[in-house]
Short mmCIF file of all heavy atoms in Angstrom, two decimals:
data_model
loop_
_atom_site.label_atom_id
_atom_site.label_comp_id
_atom_site.label_asym_id
_atom_site.label_seq_id
_atom_site.Cartn_x
_atom_site.Cartn_y
_atom_site.Cartn_z
N GLY D 1 0.80 -1.22 0.00
CA GLY D 1 0.00 0.00 0.00
C GLY D 1 0.83 1.26 0.00
O GLY D 1 0.34 2.34 0.30
N ASP D 2 2.10 1.13 -0.36
CA ASP D 2 3.02 2.26 -0.31
C ASP D 2 3.50 2.70 -1.69
O ASP D 2 4.65 3.04 -1.89
CB ASP D 2 4.22 1.92 0.58
CG ASP D 2 4.96 0.67 0.09
OD1 ASP D 2 4.48 0.00 -0.83
OD2 ASP D 2 6.02 0.37 0.66
N GLY D 3 2.57 2.71 -2.62
CA GLY D 3 2.90 3.16 -3.97
C GLY D 3 3.16 4.66 -4.00
O GLY D 3 2.97 5.36 -3.01
N TYR D 4 3.58 5.16 -5.15
CA TYR D 4 3.92 6.58 -5.24
C TYR D 4 2.71 7.47 -5.40
O TYR D 4 2.82 8.69 -5.34
CB TYR D 4 4.97 6.83 -6.33
CG TYR D 4 4.55 6.47 -7.73
CD1 TYR D 4 3.79 7.33 -8.50
CD2 TYR D 4 4.94 5.26 -8.29
CE1 TYR D 4 3.42 7.01 -9.79
CE2 TYR D 4 4.59 4.93 -9.58
CZ TYR D 4 3.81 5.81 -10.33
OH TYR D 4 3.45 5.47 -11.60
N THR D 5 1.52 6.89 -5.59
CA THR D 5 0.30 7.68 -5.59
C THR D 5 -0.39 7.47 -4.25
O THR D 5 -0.32 6.39 -3.67
CB THR D 5 -0.64 7.27 -6.73
OG1 THR D 5 -0.91 5.87 -6.63
CG2 THR D 5 -0.03 7.55 -8.08
N THR D 6 -1.01 8.50 -3.75
CA THR D 6 -1.69 8.38 -2.46
C THR D 6 -3.15 8.76 -2.61
O THR D 6 -3.51 9.58 -3.46
CB THR D 6 -1.03 9.27 -1.40
OG1 THR D 6 -1.04 10.63 -1.85
CG2 THR D 6 0.38 8.83 -1.10
N PHE D 7 -3.98 8.15 -1.77
CA PHE D 7 -5.42 8.37 -1.83
C PHE D 7 -5.97 8.44 -0.42
O PHE D 7 -5.36 7.98 0.53
CB PHE D 7 -6.09 7.21 -2.57
CG PHE D 7 -5.66 7.08 -3.99
CD1 PHE D 7 -4.65 6.19 -4.34
CD2 PHE D 7 -6.24 7.84 -4.98
CE1 PHE D 7 -4.23 6.06 -5.66
CE2 PHE D 7 -5.83 7.73 -6.31
CZ PHE D 7 -4.83 6.83 -6.64
N ASN D 8 -7.17 9.01 -0.32
CA ASN D 8 -7.90 9.02 0.93
C ASN D 8 -9.29 8.46 0.65
O ASN D 8 -10.04 9.08 -0.08
CB ASN D 8 -7.99 10.44 1.47
CG ASN D 8 -8.58 10.48 2.87
OD1 ASN D 8 -8.74 9.46 3.51
ND2 ASN D 8 -8.88 11.67 3.32
N PRO D 9 -9.63 7.29 1.16
CA PRO D 9 -8.86 6.46 2.08
C PRO D 9 -7.65 5.82 1.39
O PRO D 9 -7.64 5.69 0.17
CB PRO D 9 -9.86 5.40 2.54
CG PRO D 9 -10.82 5.27 1.41
CD PRO D 9 -10.92 6.66 0.81
N PRO D 10 -6.66 5.44 2.20
CA PRO D 10 -5.46 4.81 1.63
C PRO D 10 -5.78 3.50 0.91
O PRO D 10 -6.78 2.85 1.21
CB PRO D 10 -4.59 4.53 2.85
CG PRO D 10 -5.18 5.30 3.97
CD PRO D 10 -6.61 5.54 3.64
N VAL D 11 -4.93 3.14 -0.02
CA VAL D 11 -5.11 1.88 -0.74
C VAL D 11 -4.82 0.71 0.20
O VAL D 11 -4.15 0.86 1.22
CB VAL D 11 -4.21 1.79 -1.99
CG1 VAL D 11 -4.55 2.89 -2.97
CG2 VAL D 11 -2.75 1.83 -1.63
N ALA D 12 -5.33 -0.45 -0.18
CA ALA D 12 -5.18 -1.64 0.65
C ALA D 12 -3.74 -2.14 0.67
O ALA D 12 -3.03 -2.09 -0.34
CB ALA D 12 -6.08 -2.76 0.13
N ASP D 13 -3.34 -2.62 1.83
CA ASP D 13 -2.09 -3.35 1.98
C ASP D 13 -2.43 -4.79 1.58
O ASP D 13 -3.13 -5.49 2.31
CB ASP D 13 -1.61 -3.28 3.43
CG ASP D 13 -0.38 -4.14 3.68
OD1 ASP D 13 0.03 -4.94 2.81
OD2 ASP D 13 0.15 -4.04 4.81
N LEU D 14 -1.96 -5.20 0.44
CA LEU D 14 -2.32 -6.52 -0.09
C LEU D 14 -1.62 -7.66 0.64
O LEU D 14 -1.91 -8.82 0.39
CB LEU D 14 -2.02 -6.57 -1.60
CG LEU D 14 -2.76 -5.50 -2.42
CD1 LEU D 14 -2.33 -5.57 -3.87
CD2 LEU D 14 -4.27 -5.65 -2.27
N THR D 15 -0.72 -7.33 1.55
CA THR D 15 -0.05 -8.36 2.35
C THR D 15 -0.74 -8.55 3.70
O THR D 15 -0.34 -9.40 4.47
CB THR D 15 1.43 -8.02 2.57
OG1 THR D 15 1.53 -6.85 3.39
CG2 THR D 15 2.17 -7.79 1.26
N SER D 16 -1.76 -7.76 3.97
CA SER D 16 -2.44 -7.81 5.26
C SER D 16 -3.28 -9.08 5.42
O SER D 16 -3.68 -9.72 4.43
CB SER D 16 -3.35 -6.60 5.43
OG SER D 16 -4.48 -6.72 4.57
N ALA D 17 -3.56 -9.42 6.66
CA ALA D 17 -4.41 -10.58 6.94
C ALA D 17 -5.80 -10.38 6.35
O ALA D 17 -6.43 -11.31 5.87
CB ALA D 17 -4.50 -10.81 8.44
N LYS D 18 -6.29 -9.14 6.38
CA LYS D 18 -7.63 -8.85 5.84
C LYS D 18 -7.73 -9.24 4.37
O LYS D 18 -8.73 -9.80 3.93
CB LYS D 18 -7.94 -7.37 6.01
CG LYS D 18 -9.31 -6.98 5.51
CD LYS D 18 -9.58 -5.51 5.75
CE LYS D 18 -10.94 -5.13 5.20
NZ LYS D 18 -11.24 -3.72 5.38
N VAL D 19 -6.70 -8.95 3.61
CA VAL D 19 -6.71 -9.29 2.18
C VAL D 19 -6.36 -10.75 1.96
O VAL D 19 -7.01 -11.45 1.19
CB VAL D 19 -5.76 -8.37 1.39
CG1 VAL D 19 -5.65 -8.82 -0.06
CG2 VAL D 19 -6.23 -6.92 1.47
N SER D 20 -5.34 -11.23 2.64
CA SER D 20 -4.85 -12.59 2.38
C SER D 20 -5.84 -13.68 2.81
O SER D 20 -5.73 -14.81 2.35
CB SER D 20 -3.49 -12.82 3.03
OG SER D 20 -3.60 -12.76 4.43
N THR D 21 -6.79 -13.34 3.66
CA THR D 21 -7.79 -14.34 4.07
C THR D 21 -9.01 -14.35 3.16
O THR D 21 -9.87 -15.22 3.30
CB THR D 21 -8.23 -14.12 5.53
OG1 THR D 21 -8.75 -12.80 5.67
CG2 THR D 21 -7.07 -14.34 6.48
N GLN D 22 -9.08 -13.41 2.23
CA GLN D 22 -10.19 -13.41 1.28
C GLN D 22 -9.99 -14.53 0.27
O GLN D 22 -8.87 -14.82 -0.14
CB GLN D 22 -10.29 -12.08 0.55
CG GLN D 22 -10.74 -10.94 1.42
CD GLN D 22 -10.92 -9.66 0.63
OE1 GLN D 22 -11.28 -9.69 -0.54
NE2 GLN D 22 -10.66 -8.54 1.26
N LEU D 23 -11.07 -15.12 -0.14
CA LEU D 23 -11.01 -16.17 -1.16
C LEU D 23 -10.73 -15.54 -2.52
O LEU D 23 -11.09 -14.38 -2.77
CB LEU D 23 -12.32 -16.94 -1.18
CG LEU D 23 -12.69 -17.66 0.12
CD1 LEU D 23 -14.07 -18.29 -0.02
CD2 LEU D 23 -11.65 -18.69 0.48
N ALA D 24 -10.12 -16.31 -3.40
CA ALA D 24 -9.78 -15.82 -4.73
C ALA D 24 -10.99 -15.21 -5.45
O ALA D 24 -10.86 -14.14 -6.06
CB ALA D 24 -9.13 -16.92 -5.56
N PRO D 25 -12.17 -15.85 -5.42
CA PRO D 25 -13.31 -15.25 -6.12
C PRO D 25 -13.68 -13.85 -5.60
O PRO D 25 -14.08 -12.98 -6.37
CB PRO D 25 -14.47 -16.23 -5.88
CG PRO D 25 -13.79 -17.54 -5.67
CD PRO D 25 -12.51 -17.20 -4.94
N GLN D 26 -13.49 -13.62 -4.30
CA GLN D 26 -13.75 -12.29 -3.74
C GLN D 26 -12.76 -11.26 -4.30
O GLN D 26 -13.13 -10.15 -4.65
CB GLN D 26 -13.65 -12.31 -2.22
CG GLN D 26 -14.73 -13.11 -1.54
CD GLN D 26 -14.43 -13.27 -0.06
OE1 GLN D 26 -13.39 -13.78 0.33
NE2 GLN D 26 -15.36 -12.82 0.76
N LEU D 27 -11.50 -11.65 -4.35
CA LEU D 27 -10.47 -10.75 -4.87
C LEU D 27 -10.66 -10.49 -6.36
O LEU D 27 -10.50 -9.36 -6.82
CB LEU D 27 -9.08 -11.32 -4.59
CG LEU D 27 -8.69 -11.40 -3.12
CD1 LEU D 27 -7.39 -12.18 -2.96
CD2 LEU D 27 -8.59 -10.02 -2.50
N ILE D 28 -11.03 -11.53 -7.09
CA ILE D 28 -11.28 -11.37 -8.52
C ILE D 28 -12.42 -10.39 -8.73
O ILE D 28 -12.34 -9.49 -9.59
CB ILE D 28 -11.56 -12.74 -9.17
CG1 ILE D 28 -10.27 -13.56 -9.24
CG2 ILE D 28 -12.19 -12.58 -10.56
CD1 ILE D 28 -10.47 -15.02 -9.62
N ARG D 29 -13.47 -10.52 -7.94
CA ARG D 29 -14.60 -9.60 -8.06
C ARG D 29 -14.17 -8.17 -7.75
O ARG D 29 -14.58 -7.23 -8.43
CB ARG D 29 -15.74 -10.02 -7.14
CG ARG D 29 -16.93 -9.08 -7.22
CD ARG D 29 -18.15 -9.63 -6.50
NE ARG D 29 -19.20 -8.67 -6.40
CZ ARG D 29 -19.98 -8.27 -7.39
NH1 ARG D 29 -19.81 -8.75 -8.59
NH2 ARG D 29 -20.93 -7.38 -7.19
N THR D 30 -13.34 -7.98 -6.74
CA THR D 30 -12.86 -6.64 -6.40
C THR D 30 -12.09 -6.04 -7.56
O THR D 30 -12.28 -4.86 -7.89
CB THR D 30 -11.99 -6.68 -5.13
OG1 THR D 30 -12.80 -7.10 -4.03
CG2 THR D 30 -11.38 -5.32 -4.82
N VAL D 31 -11.23 -6.82 -8.19
CA VAL D 31 -10.47 -6.30 -9.32
C VAL D 31 -11.41 -6.01 -10.50
O VAL D 31 -11.30 -4.96 -11.14
CB VAL D 31 -9.33 -7.26 -9.73
CG1 VAL D 31 -8.59 -6.73 -10.96
CG2 VAL D 31 -8.36 -7.48 -8.58
N HIS D 32 -12.33 -6.91 -10.75
CA HIS D 32 -13.30 -6.71 -11.85
C HIS D 32 -14.14 -5.46 -11.64
O HIS D 32 -14.24 -4.62 -12.53
CB HIS D 32 -14.26 -7.90 -11.94
CG HIS D 32 -13.86 -8.94 -12.91
ND1 HIS D 32 -14.10 -8.85 -14.25
CD2 HIS D 32 -13.24 -10.13 -12.73
CE1 HIS D 32 -13.65 -9.93 -14.86
NE2 HIS D 32 -13.11 -10.71 -13.96
N LYS D 33 -14.75 -5.35 -10.48
CA LYS D 33 -15.78 -4.33 -10.23
C LYS D 33 -15.31 -3.12 -9.45
O LYS D 33 -16.03 -2.13 -9.35
CB LYS D 33 -16.96 -4.96 -9.48
CG LYS D 33 -17.61 -6.11 -10.21
CD LYS D 33 -18.27 -5.65 -11.49
CE LYS D 33 -18.98 -6.80 -12.18
NZ LYS D 33 -19.45 -6.42 -13.50
N GLY D 34 -14.12 -3.18 -8.85
CA GLY D 34 -13.63 -2.08 -8.03
C GLY D 34 -14.30 -2.06 -6.67
O GLY D 34 -15.04 -2.98 -6.31
N ARG D 35 -14.02 -1.01 -5.92
CA ARG D 35 -14.61 -0.84 -4.58
C ARG D 35 -15.17 0.57 -4.48
O ARG D 35 -14.45 1.53 -4.72
CB ARG D 35 -13.56 -1.07 -3.50
CG ARG D 35 -13.08 -2.50 -3.45
CD ARG D 35 -12.16 -2.71 -2.29
NE ARG D 35 -12.85 -2.27 -1.09
CZ ARG D 35 -13.10 -3.05 -0.04
NH1 ARG D 35 -12.69 -4.29 -0.04
NH2 ARG D 35 -13.71 -2.58 1.00
N THR D 36 -16.43 0.67 -4.10
CA THR D 36 -17.05 1.99 -3.97
C THR D 36 -16.40 2.77 -2.84
O THR D 36 -15.87 2.20 -1.89
CB THR D 36 -18.56 1.87 -3.73
OG1 THR D 36 -18.78 1.09 -2.54
CG2 THR D 36 -19.26 1.21 -4.89
N SER D 37 -16.43 4.07 -2.98
CA SER D 37 -15.88 5.01 -2.00
C SER D 37 -14.39 4.83 -1.76
O SER D 37 -13.88 5.15 -0.68
CB SER D 37 -16.64 4.90 -0.66
OG SER D 37 -18.01 5.16 -0.87
#
């Protein structure tokens, strides 16, 4: 989550437990459809 662009809210840390415990279909959907707000 430490890329050279910054946002509010901050981007996800993809190494976090919150992300790593998501199932692949959930992550695929997030990439496909994005995340609101």
Side-chain angles (χ1 to χ4, degrees):
D2 57 353
Y4 62 83
T5 56
T6 57
F7 298 96
N8 188 10
V11 299
D13 174 351
L14 302 176
T15 66
S16 71
K18 181 178 178 181
V19 173
S20 65
T21 57
Q22 290 184 32
L23 299 175
Q26 293 171 302
L27 294 171
I28 288 169
R29 179 170 171 74
T30 296
V31 177
H32 265 278
K33 301 295 183 188
R35 293 186 54 121
T36 58
S37 302

